[in-house]
Structures are given as C-alpha cells and as structure tokens.
Amino acid sequence: MKSIDERLADSNPVAQGYVPANYDEMITRAMHHSRHADAAWKTFRLRMAGSVAAASALTVLGVTALNGAGSALPVLGFSATSAQVPRSSALNGSGGAVGGMMIRYMNYSFTGADKFSAAVGSEPVYTISAPSDLATTLSTVARALGVTLATTATAAGNLSTNYGVSGKGYSGSIDSGNGADYWNIYSTPSGTTGVSGASGAVVGTAVPPTTSTSPSATGATGVTGVTGASGATGVSGVTGSSGAAGATGPVAATGSLAAQALGFVQALGNYTAGDATQDVSNGVTTINVPLLVNGYPSDMSDSFTFNSDGSLQSASGNIFELKVMAIYPLISQSAGVDQIIPQENQFDHWMAPLASFSRAASTGATGATGATGPSGASGATGVTGVNGPSGSSGATGVSGVTGATTTTTLPAPTVVNLTTVTIGYSSYDMKSNGWMELPNYDYAGTVVKGGHQVSFTVVPLPSQYLDFATNNNPIPMGAR
Amino acid sequence: MRAQRERRFRAVADEATPAIGAYLKRRIYPLSYSDVDDLVEEVLIIAWRRLDDIPAGAEVPWLIGVSRNVLRNAHRKFRRGEVVAARMTPAPHGSSAEDNVIADEGVRAALESLSDDDRDIILLHAWDGRSAEDIALILGVTSNAAAVRLSRAQDRFRKNFSSISLD
C-alpha cells in the first residue's frame, strides 16, 4: 500500500517532463525580443503639446530651427493599455500586497553622475515600420541570403509564420514586433546516411543426393548457392548534439566570412552596420552585426552562422524602415542620472516609487479647530416688563485630534556607482503612429556592496516632451 | 559581449526550460496544453531581459517564480475573456488548476481542502521537486519561513487526507 507522499507524487500529471516544440526558434526569438515590447512598456501616444514654450529657450530655439521654423515638437506620451493592479497598491511602500502577491521594490541611489558630460545635445527620433506581408518578406530575405526555401509559408500559431522543408534545405520563420520584422533562417540538413545493410547469407541450393551407381561413386557437387538478398537500408543516423561552446569570446570580425556577412546586411536593406564581431566554436563561425540607428547601437542586429566549409548554417535579423519624425533636444548625460528612478518606475515599476516614499513617515495633518458652540438661548422676558438677562455664550468647540503619523518602511538603499554611459536607440510602441526608435542613455555601474554590474536605461528627452501621466501601474516584482 | 550573454542565456534556458515547461504544463488548466509553449517563451523573454539579475546557481527556482506570475496573468486574462464572452461555465469557486488534473480522488480532495498557499507550496515540493530553499526564492520569503510553511502545509495535508479517507 502506498503512502500518502507516494500517492501525492504519483498524482503528478506531467511526470515525464517537458520538451518544447521548436526550442531553437523559441530561444532565438527570446534573444531578439526588445525589452520594451513586454506588457510593462505600454503604448506610446502622440499629442501636440501646448507647453513646448516652457522648454529651455536656447535648446528649443536650436532644435526648432532644425525642425523648421514655427513647428512645435510633439510630446511623446506613454499610456497604459491594461492596468494590472491599482496604483494605490504601490503606496504601501516596500511590501504592498496585490492579489496575494507581495510587491518588492528596489531602492537605488546613484553616485558618479558628476563624471558624465553636462552638455545638452539633440538627436533625431524615428518612426520604424516593416512590411506586413511576412511570407513575401521571408522569401525576400532568403533570396538575399542566396538560399531557397522549399515550401510555401503557412501560419503557425500566434507567434510566427513558419516554413517547413523536407530533406536538405533551409527552414525559416518570421514574425513582426517592435516595428520590425524578425526573421530566422536555418539549414535543415537531411539525416546522415544510414549504415549499409548486412550482406545476405549465402544459401546453397539443396541438391538431392545422386543415386550411386556403385558403392564407390562420388555424389555430384551441389550447385553454388544464390547470393543472399541485400540487407535492409539502415535507419538514418541521428544528428549529433551540438558541441560545447568554445572558451574564446567574440573578437572583431575579419576575413571572407565577415565580408560575406556584411554583404548580406547590405543586400537585406542597405542598413548601417556597426563593428561586427565573430565567435568561433567547434569550427562554426558566428558573426554578429549590430545595426546602427543614427550611427549609434540599436536594439537590432543581424547574426550569421557559417559551417566550417563556409556554407550558411543559420541567420537571423531584422527588416525595418526608419523615418525621421523630428529632432529633439537631449538633456545632459549627468542630468540623465536623475531620470533613472522616475523613468524606471514609470516603465518597469520596480523602483521605489518616489511619490509614495516622499510621503513616508510624514506627520498627519493637524486636526481642524472645533466649531464654535451654539449661542446661548435668549433669557425669558421678565414678568414686570424688565428685560431678561442675556443668554450665555455657547461653549467653544473642542480642538480636532492630531492626525496619526504615517509610517512606511523603506527598503534598504542599494548604492550604485555609475561608471559609463553610452548613447543608443531602442524601440517604443506608440498608440497612433506605430513604433518609434528613441535615443537612450545606457548607464552601467557597480553595486557598491556586492560588486556586481548593473545597468539602467533612460530616454534622455527633456521631461516636457515625455508624458508618463497615464503609465503608472506598478506590476509585481515577481513578474519582472 | 553579446555572444557571452547569449551563451549564458542558452545555458540557463537549457537547464531551466524542462522544469518551467513542466511547472506550467501541470498547472495550465483551464488553458490548453497548446498554450504552454507560448508561456514558456514569455518566461524566456523575461529571462533574456533580466539575465543579469538571475542569481547564479538558482536559475531554475528564479525562473519558476517568473513562471508562476506569467501563469497567473494568463489565467487572469483567460477568466476575464471567459466572463466577457460567456462562452464557458466558470470553474467552480475554489477549484484550482491542479485539482482538475489529479486522478487520485483522495489526494485531490485533500489538496482541495487546503488554502491556495498551502497547495502551492506542497506541489512545488512534491511535483516540481523544489527544496525549501528553492521555494523561498520562488515565493520571495526567507528559507526558514519556507521550511516552516512547507512543514505546516504537509502536516495539514496529511491530516486532511487521513480525515477524508476515514469518512
């Protein structure tokens, strides 16, 4: 008889584990998924601002000249499309309970901002779009790479349009997101040749014994047996597992494969390529080509993997088109540090919300002064016609009670020493105009107590051009 | 740099995907098994984005914690859609995803009698093979608290199982 613990274990409905379909595609899609495409990055909406005049006069005048005299820059406003939890939950401080889940906020403070440039600047903001006919686009990509996809595109779930091929050839998938099409093409070699069948056994034909004519007569020699049938063809060999990754890290890509990769990038869309890197492991060369936006690194890249014989093993990347929407002023890199917490709190919601913590431990409001008491009743009229005494004054109302003191426990601050800042571009969703590529300041630094590296991203447009007003729904830390 | 990051991600995904897939599959009801791959991919996207935050040596429990929240969101969305569309009869109150996939009547009844928190913690241990330390990371509590909660939940489960079996 089984114990209760054994019966509980036996009730496991998925005891045999889980093996995903198309695991490699899943992995590559995940790696090319922008951080701004998740639910926390909500739809951008664009509206014209009446407050542009409040901008720094010098900067705005300069930028206005670039954008055309008299034109006002739009405010880029984030809007929450689906509130997950009410904002009031965040006001509980470091441990607000939401739907039974605890919210855990981080409380960062930063040093090192003084090392960064105090100069303001300006950079363009782009709209980004991509072809919507995914099947045709995938075929175009295949042609640019010089490979042939054997079959016609068929829809495969919500995420991608897949090609499937049989035998030796290339498979591919494509899906759309973040304003760009993300494609993936990979060789699908046939299985290795099966082992040869075993030779058939030699079977001699039976020959009846010859009746001897004399006791000494020798029987006739039997005829040679026919050759046995060939053995069945062996089953195809299984494809070997990938070898372990080599220890060597990526280096600057040079040589014919790098030139080929850069040629692919040009053929795919004449994109501006950054410095390509290559990584060689077990004879397989992977070349990563960052795709630049306005000369800066972006959240897009192409990647090409070549077999040892130089043939293309797999490739993945983005198809997109950029259009300059306007040129915006940028705050300085040192000033951008002050925007880390407000912006992370608006987008990713894991920072300690400033608004709530500024209210922490504040004294309650003083109680209102008590209302004046009611006037005394008039005295009764005297019997003899003499005026009666005046009524007494009403009692003074009691003072209001002092409000209770609010107490909130702040999470322990994590001090980060910022060491570097770089400019880049990444994609953001807009409600009415599709996706945009906006400039970013990417800060990196070290946690003072702990020593590990952390990084933060800021959209360095002056605050009057960014509207976070409606994107204020914190999500639990656990959702990350 | 990117290649190094990709290698680590690949290693994390290779190690964690079977566990998070199984975790999600066990609890996917009332969604269908065909949704599991999409949810796993959602978890992997989060893993890629937060790769630097995943504690070394605790990748699997950390990602099960993420899976737990991704699954809750998926269930919430499903139920919201269910109410709006009124296409299906809502699941009876108190019926959990796990309750619907357990064939052993006694085990099911004993689990049903537990609170959601107790059931969560017991099944993380019994089905997903998670230690108290892992459970602490998944639930965001201290190891000690997780061990105590696991022990108490197991006691309640055994007690309920015995009383149900005697009825």
Side-chain angles (χ1 to χ4, degrees):
Chain A
M1 184 166 170
K2 287 185 173 180
S3 71
I4 172 61
D5 291 331
E6 287 171 326
R7 285 175 65 178
L8 179 59
D10 286 350
S11 67
N12 184 350
V14 189
Q16 74 277 22
Y18 162 81
V19 179
N22 304 319
Y23 178 60
D24 283 341
E25 282 180 49
M26 190 183 276
I27 291 288
T28 48
R29 276 198 300 266
M31 287 192 291
H32 287 81
H33 195 277
S34 164
R35 69 184 286 265
H36 307 306
D38 62 17
W41 286 90
K42 300 304 182 187
T43 307
F44 248 121
R45 68 185 155 80
L46 200 63
R47 64 178 170 81
M48 299 303 291
S51 60
V52 174
S56 157
L58 182 62
T59 308
V60 168
L61 282 175
V63 172
T64 302
L66 290 169
N67 288 324
S71 63
L73 288 169
V75 166
L76 310 176
F78 296 88
S79 67
T81 53
S82 59
Q84 300 199 28
V85 290
R87 176 160 177 73
S88 58
S89 303
L91 302 181
N92 292 334
S94 61
V98 178
M101 237 180 319
M102 297 299 286
I103 293 178
R104 288 185 293 161
Y105 292 111
M106 302 300 289
N107 180 20
Y108 281 96
S109 65
F110 301 100
T111 62
D114 54 337
K115 293 195 295 282
F116 302 140
S117 169
V120 297
S122 62
E123 297 291 354
V125 161
Y126 298 86
T127 58
I128 180 171
S129 58
S132 57
D133 184 348
L134 297 180
T136 301
T137 304
L138 188 57
S139 295
T140 305
V141 168
R143 274 199 302 278
L145 300 180
V147 301
T148 303
L149 297 170
T151 59
T152 306
T154 53
N158 297 328
L159 290 173
S160 60
T161 302
N162 280 334
Y163 279 88
V165 296
S166 57
K168 187 171 178 60
Y170 286 86
S171 297
S173 66
I174 186 167
D175 61 82
S176 190
N178 304 8
D181 289 343
Y182 171 65
W183 54 266
N184 182 27
I185 283 178
Y186 46 95
S187 63
T188 49
S190 56
T192 54
T193 306
V195 295
S196 299
S199 297
V202 176
V203 180
T205 304
V207 176
T210 307
T211 304
S212 65
T213 53
S214 68
S216 60
T218 303
T221 303
V223 298
T224 304
V226 297
T227 304
S230 297
T233 303
V235 294
S236 297
V238 294
T239 304
S241 59
S242 299
T248 308
V251 296
T254 57
S256 60
L257 295 182
Q260 196 175 345
L262 292 171
F264 285 152
V265 172
Q266 292 302 307
L268 286 163
N270 201 23
Y271 301 118
T272 306
D275 295 333
T277 58
Q278 74 179 29
D279 193 12
V280 181
S281 178
N282 292 337
V284 173
T285 302
T286 300
I287 295 183
N288 284 300
V289 184
L291 303 180
L292 305 185
V293 172
N294 189 32
Y296 295 111
S298 74
D299 50 357
M300 293 175 289
S301 64
D302 288 347
S303 178
F304 306 92
T305 300
F306 297 94
N307 294 311
S308 55
D309 63 0
S311 61
L312 187 66
Q313 184 187 84
S314 65
S316 61
N318 294 101
I319 293 287
F320 59 92
E321 183 183 359
L322 296 172
K323 286 182 182 168
V324 175
M325 191 192 85
I327 298 174
Y328 278 77
L330 300 189
I331 60 175
S332 71
Q333 294 177 344
S334 61
V337 173
D338 292 337
Q339 297 304 309
I340 293 175
I341 289 177
Q343 290 199 12
E344 291 281 5
N345 185 35
Q346 293 292 345
F347 293 138
D348 279 348
H349 312 296
W350 49 267
M351 287 285 189
L354 293 182
S356 67
F357 286 106
S358 66
R359 291 165 59 167
S362 61
T363 304
T366 303
T369 303
T372 303
S375 298
S378 297
T381 304
V383 177
T384 58
V386 179
N387 288 338
S390 298
S392 59
S393 298
T396 303
V398 295
S399 296
V401 179
T402 301
T405 300
T406 305
T407 55
T408 305
T409 307
L410 281 165
T414 301
V415 181
V416 175
N417 183 31
L418 296 174
T419 52
T420 63
V421 58
T422 55
I423 303 179
Y425 274 78
S426 58
S427 53
Y428 297 80
D429 194 9
M430 292 164 47
K431 188 172 184 179
S432 54
N433 287 0
W435 287 79
M436 292 176 67
E437 284 280 323
L438 299 183
N440 291 161
Y441 286 163
D442 296 314
Y443 295 94
T446 308
V447 173
V448 173
K449 287 183 181 175
H452 57 281
Q453 296 284 312
V454 288
S455 60
F456 305 91
T457 297
V458 160
V459 180
L461 272 60
S463 57
Q464 64 266 28
Y465 296 115
L466 298 174
D467 178 9
F468 301 111
T470 54
N471 188 30
N472 53 9
N473 300 288
I475 59 172
M477 177 66 175
R480 298 174 176 101
Chain B
M1 186 73 176
R2 183 176 170 93
Q4 276 179 337
R5 186 176 162 81
E6 287 185 354
R7 271 202 294 272
R8 188 189 175 214
F9 174 70
R10 184 81 198 207
V12 168
D14 286 352
E15 183 193 359
T17 299
I20 61 179
Y23 173 88
L24 292 167
K25 202 169 176 182
R26 289 176 188 122
R27 297 159 175 85
I28 195 70
Y29 181 88
L31 303 173
S32 76
Y33 278 169
S34 62
D35 295 316
V36 172
D37 282 355
D38 283 351
L39 295 184
V40 169
E41 185 163 329
E42 202 173 330
V43 173
L44 291 177
I45 286 168
I46 293 168
W48 169 251
R49 185 160 68 79
R50 308 283 302 184
L51 191 62
D52 296 337
D53 298 327
I54 301 177
E59 289 86 353
V60 174
W62 195 91
L63 284 172
I64 287 180
V66 173
S67 307
R68 190 165 174 260
N69 292 316
V70 165
L71 185 64
R72 281 188 180 188
N73 284 339
H75 279 158
R76 201 178 302 133
K77 278 182 198 165
F78 177 85
R79 292 196 174 106
R80 203 158 47 219
E82 193 179 42
V83 169
V84 171
R87 286 185 303 225
M88 297 173 67
T89 306
H93 181 69
S95 171
S96 74
E98 298 88 342
D99 295 337
N100 287 282
V101 293
I102 299 173
D104 187 322
E105 291 284 348
V107 171
R108 185 167 65 217
L111 282 173
E112 267 181 351
S113 66
L114 295 176
S115 68
D116 289 347
D117 286 347
D118 279 354
R119 188 165 48 234
D120 248 10
I121 207 164
I122 274 190
L123 295 182
L124 278 168
H125 181 69
W127 286 1
D128 299 293
R130 296 294 119 198
S131 65
E133 273 193 1
D134 288 350
I135 292 170
L137 194 62
I138 293 166
L139 301 182
V141 299
T142 65
S143 298
N144 194 39
V148 170
R149 283 172 58 178
L150 175 60
S151 169
R152 287 179 180 164
Q154 286 172 326
D155 284 349
R156 279 190 281 268
F157 172 71
R158 290 185 187 118
K159 191 175 161 190
N160 292 354
F161 182 81
S162 302
S163 77
I164 288 165
S165 300
L166 289 172
D167 288 345

